[in-house]
Amino acid sequence: MYSLDILSRTPVYEQIIKQTEDFISKGILNPGDKIPSVRNLSVMLSVNPNTIQKAFSELDTRGLIFSVPGKGCFITENAHEIVNSSKRKKLVELDSQISELMYAGIKKEEIIDLIEKIYKGGKTNDQN
């Protein structure tokens, strides 16, 4: 389920946070689902447990997970709404990027075609 890009400049704990958010957003992780323990994820990814704990602490701070002593960590009831709310904020960034593309001479039709391709499940050049 989780994987790391060891060549990425993004810190490992941030990769774990982003993947967890993506899993929640895509419905792979749902409210009440148990996530791997710090120890299991540490072994699975060959990462120091403190790094995993740092990611889990941040996920807890964001309200995406909660821990039950002796049982593990679980996805919160409103995690999907929290993730989607933060994703909606990216529309402001998108507005700015589209403006830059427009001034760079990129046609509106190219942008719309790309958006339609993404919504149909097609891969773009930036995706693996």
Side-chain angles (χ1 to χ4, degrees), residues 55-125:
F56 281 17
S57 292
E58 179 61 27
L59 289 166
D60 183 41
T61 299
R62 294 182 187 186
L64 300 177
I65 66 170
F66 66 96
S67 65
V68 176
K71 299 283 185 193
C73 291
F74 300 86
I75 303 298
T76 61
E77 286 298 318
N78 57 345
H80 194 266
E81 291 80 21
I82 293 169
V83 170
N84 287 344
S85 174
S86 71
K87 301 272 186 203
R88 292 194 72 68
K89 291 177 185 173
K90 292 188 176 192
L91 284 174
V92 174
E93 296 171 28
L94 183 59
D95 181 289
S96 172
Q97 291 172 348
I98 289 174
S99 294
E100 287 179 27
L101 293 172
M102 178 185 71
Y103 292 123
I106 305 296
K107 301 282 184 219
K108 176 173 121 178
E109 292 75 21
E110 289 180 72
I111 296 170
I112 292 170
D113 288 345
L114 178 62
I115 292 169
E116 287 176 352
K117 184 176 183 180
I118 291 168
Y119 270 84
K120 288 179 184 172
K123 292 195 179 273
T124 67
N125 291 338

Side-chain angles (χ1 to χ4, degrees), residues 13 38 42 47-57:
Y13 81 96
V38 170
S42 172
V47 174
N48 186 310
N50 293 331
T51 302
I52 306 296
Q53 186 58 52
K54 183 174 183 178
F56 281 17
S57 292

